[in-house]
């Protein structure tokens, strides 16, 4: 099959090959133009956005009639440098083998297809320019995340997907079970015996790896998770999916203000990686998806993130004179319109808002001395508002326990979580970044369904 | 909190710090020895296996009575180089702050605890030498996987966790649902209406990302997955977990023999990474877990993997004169005893066995011309037998369809999978490597429960 001999188009176009002769290329046909004395085929192999132009000087000797758009072919030939053309490399074909044919009416025609249409054929959409770029971008940015943390000596932790507690009451949970539904449906007394279930109790899909990451940070220092999380919410919006990947770092010996420095560094390093190491993809997004996206990202890298408290934020909003849809007063949860006013209109750059009212935040956040607020922080960026949320965690056993009791939580379910506060507890902080949100922000892509290869949303789980 | 100022013990011991004065270290106390004029504390911060020795020259001025094993402390002082000692760096304490106390009877005492006991306190076991090492090793080897593929220009694909088909009939599947069990249990007619479920149909947890990876390889070329997979099998063995991470590369334009070259390279590169980049962990395993482990791994890196067919393997086994528990004849699935005989006794090195009888292999494997075998390969290593399984996939639409019909599979469920065979189909191959199996092999750890931070096994899903 010549897997090791064939050249990837990416390398050919970057002039990164050792010989211009006896070159083998394999890929899928994007266009074909045939005239009497010459023919052109553009071929793409998924290695990069650009196609390689194949030139056929004696068309009658090649099986061109059987080569439709979408077909896979193997081309043997030599590379020619053509001066003064946009794409200055092309390949002269000496031999073309058809690997797999495609029908003339292959569904991906040259015209532009709508994203909605392409969602219905998720098995083929990665063969389009946009979704090729999106998938390569997703892959590169995944690597960027691992590379950032590896070089900072954070330990990557695989937290469990099947869990027995709802970490933070973050939303509805998918149940995981091996109970026999038919038996259940035929049971006469209406009772469910979870001791018969696979794990001997009720289990569900994780909504966050944070609590387990806290356990590990209390032994290893700096850790992070990067894995799938789930929400069984019937929100059919362009920003919600039922299954998505979260990045959740957790740092021992780190307080809120220190974490805010880390968050700023993290965002800037990831954004810099995107501009430099995923330049092809960012250029595409900048041209085809959202003009000016590159500049927005570059500006964030240059900016000094503003840092204010929630109380200061409320003060700014109240004095703004803006007629918000949701009225502003101390104690409200900031809405997107408020966040965007702060970051876009008032500060005109990313900001971090800290010390939120405890009643609108999760039980595990560290209680501030004012008894009203907790050490939470949200990072807001122009265009969307919140992109990262985090907090210093309550490391004091008694404080955490009494807060949990106040909220009528089942302490037994959180035994381990409480216990690490009894044995050499340490101040620690962590944050969460939705990977798809990050990709949407960098790319300007508007629908989360277009950022995930095979998205899961209410009513949709094809394949 | 001095998160950015503190030095990690790893860097101090590697003499990788910029100043020996005003050093801040934070971590957990491992041992304390106090005499009248001098005291010693060994502290570990999770950054490496070794503790840092803290020397206290005027013990009466320090709060040593309140510092028990397990407590977290912050030490300020200076680093002293001590010549002629095994660990030649120590820290003279000028100030010690207790961050979090631990009771005198802290559960992790200096004595050696059994792995069985430590499994019951998974929230604390990462504070022991062995599990600190295991977790750092897991993190490093995860990075090794991503690094290998990134540098080979493979695209990392996040395949869905919630799926609607049982990819390969690989085993029992966990159901994922939001159906109301109580309602179900009270239903009178015993009927289950999946249209009311979250995705409008039956869904379960993925057993493999392979089929989706095939779809993506048919657009992007070289791809891989690295994510959690699930088996709802009630096997309570030391090698089975209900939730584990799989690495599944899938290569377009690659046939079986070519993939075998890639598999050998992959194993050797990962093993080399372990010896070089995770030397501390490998040294620990070699000393504490399985003497000679390093040599076994080094030998595999040096070996030329033998390559034989299944038919040749059967021939060797039949002629061996060995009295196997499971009798040998053409058509049987190779058992561990057979695999180990081949790799340990006969070849005395890793081997790859290819072209297995089609009836013992999955439907998607490419049918060989003999009509009896398929292009499957297993890679066997001394000590365990199979460590990697893979195959060239059936890329011919008609052949695949008729095989699926033969096996009475629901073609509708596999519409996308079949369809890519119609539009520019390409020969492609892929393999799967269980990440925990890899870690167990490299480390010599014997139980999969000790390789996963919070393992899920039948009856066990704590936290």
């Amino acid at each position: 099959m010549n897997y090791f001999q064939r050249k990837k188009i990416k390398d050919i176009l970057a002039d990164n090959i050792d010989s211009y002769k006896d070159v083998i290329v394999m890929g899928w046909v994007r266009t074909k133009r045939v005239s009497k004395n010459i023919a052109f085929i553009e071929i793409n192999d998924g290695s990069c956005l650009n196609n390689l132009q194949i030139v056929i000087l004696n068309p009658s000797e090649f099986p061109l009639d059987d080569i439709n758009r979408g077909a896979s072919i193997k081309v043997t030939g030599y590379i020619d440098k053509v001066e003064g053309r946009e794409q200055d490399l092309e390949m002269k074909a000496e031999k073309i083998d058809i690997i797999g044919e495609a029908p003339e009416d292959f569904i991906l025609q040259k015209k532009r297809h709508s994203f909605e249409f392409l969602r219905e054929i998720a098995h083929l959409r990665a063969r389009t320019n946009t979704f090729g770029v999106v998938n390569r971008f997703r892959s590169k940015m995944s690597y960027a995340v691992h590379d950032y943390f590896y070089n900072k000596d954070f330990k990557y932790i695989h937290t469990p997907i099947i869990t027995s507690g709802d970490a933070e009451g973050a939303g509805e949970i998918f149940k995981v079970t091996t109970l026999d539904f038919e038996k259940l449906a035929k049971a006469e007394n209406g009772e469910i015996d979870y001791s018969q279930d696979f794990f001997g109790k009720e289990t569900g899909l994780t909504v966050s790896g944070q609590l387990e990451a806290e356990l590990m940070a209390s032994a290893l220092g700096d850790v992070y998770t990067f894995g799938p999380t789930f929400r069984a919410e019937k929100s059919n919006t362009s920003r919600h999916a039922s299954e998505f990947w979260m990045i959740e770092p957790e740092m021992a010996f780190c307080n809120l203000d220190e974490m805010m420095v880390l968050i700023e560094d993290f965002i800037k390093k990831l954004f810099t990686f995107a501009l430099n190491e995923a330049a092809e993809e960012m250029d595409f997004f900048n041209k085809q998806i959202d003009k000016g996206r590159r500049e927005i990202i570059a500006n964030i890298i240059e900016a000094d993130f503003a840092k204010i408290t929630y109380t200061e934020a409320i003060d700014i909003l109240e004095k703004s004179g803006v007629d918000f849809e949701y009225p502003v007063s101390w104690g409200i949860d900031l809405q997107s319109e408020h966040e965007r006013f702060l970051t876009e209109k008032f500060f005109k750059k990313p900001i971090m808002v800290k010390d939120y009212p405890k009643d609108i935040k999760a039980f595990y956040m560290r209680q501030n001395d004012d008894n009203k607020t907790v050490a939470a922080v949200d990072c807001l960026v122009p265009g969307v508002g919140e992109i990262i949320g985090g907090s210093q965690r309550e490391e004091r056993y008694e404080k955490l326990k009494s807060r949990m009791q106040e909220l009528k939580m089942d302490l037994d379910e959180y035994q381990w979580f409480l216990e690490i506060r009894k044995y050499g507890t340490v101040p620690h902080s962590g944050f969460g970044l939705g990977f798809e949100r990050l990709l949407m922000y960098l790319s300007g892509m508007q629908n989360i369904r277009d950022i995930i290869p095979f998205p899961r949303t209410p009513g949709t789980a094809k394949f």
Side-chain angles (χ1 to χ4, degrees), chain A:
Chain A
M1 192 68 230
N2 299 110
Y3 175 75
F4 292 103
Q5 290 73 43
R6 71 129 168 173
K7 301 293 175 221
K8 289 192 178 178
I9 291 173
K10 176 190 176 178
D11 292 322
I12 293 174
L13 294 180
D15 210 352
N16 182 28
I17 51 174
D18 43 13
S19 162
Y20 296 109
K21 285 185 192 173
D22 303 320
V23 173
I24 297 172
V25 170
M26 297 189 273
W28 293 270
V29 172
R30 286 292 179 86
T31 64
K32 179 183 74 169
R33 282 175 296 141
V34 183
S35 59
K36 196 159 181 250
N37 297 315
I38 195 164
F40 300 95
I41 287 175
E42 288 201 53
I43 182 175
N44 187 289
D45 66 3
S47 68
C48 63
L49 170 65
N50 286 320
N51 305 324
L52 180 67
Q53 165 128 297
I54 309 289
V55 182
I56 298 132
L57 296 174
N58 35 356
S60 60
E61 292 167 30
F62 288 78
L64 296 177
D65 286 349
D66 298 329
I67 298 177
N68 292 316
R69 182 178 171 83
S72 52
I73 58 173
K74 172 179 171 181
V75 185
T76 311
Y78 59 94
I79 302 295
D80 229 7
K81 282 197 172 198
V82 185
E83 302 297 337
R85 288 236 308 266
E86 199 190 332
Q87 183 188 300
D88 64 351
L89 284 173
E90 61 183 29
M91 182 167 176
K92 297 279 188 337
E94 292 168 329
K95 187 161 181 283
I96 296 182
D97 298 303
I98 299 174
I99 300 174
E101 294 190 0
E104 245 180 287
D105 60 349
F106 178 51
I107 197 163
L108 290 175
Q109 287 304 307
K110 204 184 170 187
K111 66 168 190 143
R112 218 186 177 98
H113 298 283
S114 74
F115 288 168
E116 289 76 13
F117 171 76
L118 292 173
R119 269 172 226 148
E120 303 297 316
I121 49 168
H123 59 314
L124 294 173
R125 66 177 173 169
R127 292 196 202 169
T128 64
N129 280 345
T130 300
F131 290 93
V133 166
V134 164
N135 280 297
R136 285 186 292 274
F137 189 60
R138 189 175 172 111
S139 173
K140 285 185 183 177
M141 293 311 298
S142 296
Y143 184 77
V145 170
H146 287 300
D147 204 50
Y148 178 85
F149 287 119
Y150 189 77
N151 287 315
K152 280 204 176 314
D153 215 20
F154 277 56
K155 280 81 195 174
Y156 179 33
I157 306 294
H158 291 141
T159 51
I161 307 301
I162 299 172
T163 52
S164 60
D166 172 5
E168 42 171 322
E172 292 189 51
I173 293 187
F174 286 106
K175 288 183 266 196
V176 172
T177 184
T178 55
L179 288 175
D180 185 332
F181 285 2
E182 297 205 16
K183 266 197 204 154
L184 213 54
K186 283 176 190 156
E188 283 182 20
N189 56 7
E191 265 182 33
I192 306 149
D193 181 4
Y194 284 107
S195 74
Q196 297 303 309
D197 208 347
F198 193 87
F199 297 106
K201 60 171 163 179
E202 271 193 89
T203 50
L205 291 179
T206 185
V207 295
S208 162
Q210 178 201 318
L211 302 196
E212 292 91 350
E214 284 191 52
L215 305 182
M216 299 307 279
S218 299
L220 303 172
D222 293 324
V223 305
Y224 74 106
T225 73
F226 184 14
T229 52
F230 306 84
R231 294 281 188 288
E233 274 165 38
K234 297 229 164 175
S235 343
N236 248 320
T237 82
S238 62
R239 290 175 61 78
H240 290 89
S242 311
E243 177 178 324
F244 53 96
W245 282 61
M246 284 281 285
I247 302 155
E248 297 180 286
E250 191 75 33
M251 293 75 65
F253 311 112
C254 183
N255 65 26
L256 189 71
D257 288 329
E258 291 167 333
M259 179 171 72
M260 286 161 66
V261 176
L262 189 73
I263 289 174
E264 186 169 338
D265 182 67
F266 180 59
I267 289 182
K268 290 179 175 179
K269 292 279 164 52
L270 282 188
F271 283 22
T272 303
F273 186 100
L275 292 186
N276 296 340
E277 307 298 321
E280 174 181 289
E281 290 78 17
M282 284 304 298
D283 285 343
F284 178 87
F285 295 133
N286 194 50
K287 234 165 135 180
Q288 302 290 336
I289 303 297
D290 184 25
K291 294 204 197 327
R293 184 52 42 182
R294 245 187 181 283
E295 204 187 327
I296 291 171
I297 302 305
N299 284 342
I300 287 179
I301 295 169
E302 291 305 315
D304 232 343
F305 290 18
K307 287 165 187 170
I308 59 171
T309 65
Y310 169 88
T311 303
E312 287 163 351
I314 292 294
D315 196 47
I316 292 169
L317 293 166
E318 282 179 333
K319 288 183 179 151
S320 70
V322 177
D323 186 23
F324 292 111
E325 191 186 340
Y326 292 87
V328 176
S329 67
W330 200 98
I332 64 156
D333 208 354
L334 295 185
Q335 300 296 319
S336 182
E337 57 172 340
H338 308 135
E339 294 176 343
R340 293 186 61 171
F341 173 82
L342 290 167
T343 177
E344 289 167 22
K345 299 275 163 41
F346 194 87
F347 287 100
K348 298 186 173 59
K349 61 179 181 178
I351 65 170
M352 293 205 243
V353 182
K354 70 171 183 175
D355 297 335
Y356 283 78
K358 70 173 178 183
D359 291 332
I360 57 170
K361 289 290 181 182
F363 74 93
Y364 50 72
M365 297 186 178
R366 193 174 198 275
Q367 297 161 53
N368 289 327
D369 292 341
D370 62 13
N371 227 349
K372 281 164 35 188
T373 61
V374 289
V377 65
D378 280 354
C379 180
L380 318 179
V381 289
V384 293
E386 187 206 323
I387 191 162
I388 281 180
S391 68
Q392 185 168 341
R393 319 307 190 183
E394 184 56 82
E395 90 282 11
R396 295 163 297 186
Y397 180 78
E398 290 301 335
K399 292 252 180 198
L400 179 62
K401 191 174 157 191
S402 63
R403 181 69 180 145
M404 291 173 75
Q405 282 167 330
E406 225 172 272
L407 297 169
K408 306 209 185 322
M409 294 173 64
D410 180 355
L411 299 191
D412 280 350
E413 272 296 311
Y414 293 86
Q415 179 213 345
W416 283 359
F417 189 68
L418 275 161
E419 257 185 30
I420 57 160
R421 272 79 179 169
K422 276 162 104 173
Y423 308 128
T425 190
V426 297
H428 58 289
S429 301
F431 65 88
L433 170 62
F435 186 55
E436 284 77 13
R437 296 280 172 92
L438 170 74
L439 298 180
M440 288 169 76
Y441 191 72
L442 286 167
S443 66
M445 295 287 290
Q446 292 296 314
N447 198 311
I448 197 166
R449 292 168 181 78
D450 298 329
I451 284 291
I452 303 175
F454 302 98
R456 270 72 185 102
T457 52
T460 306
K462 174 88 180 165
F463 218 73

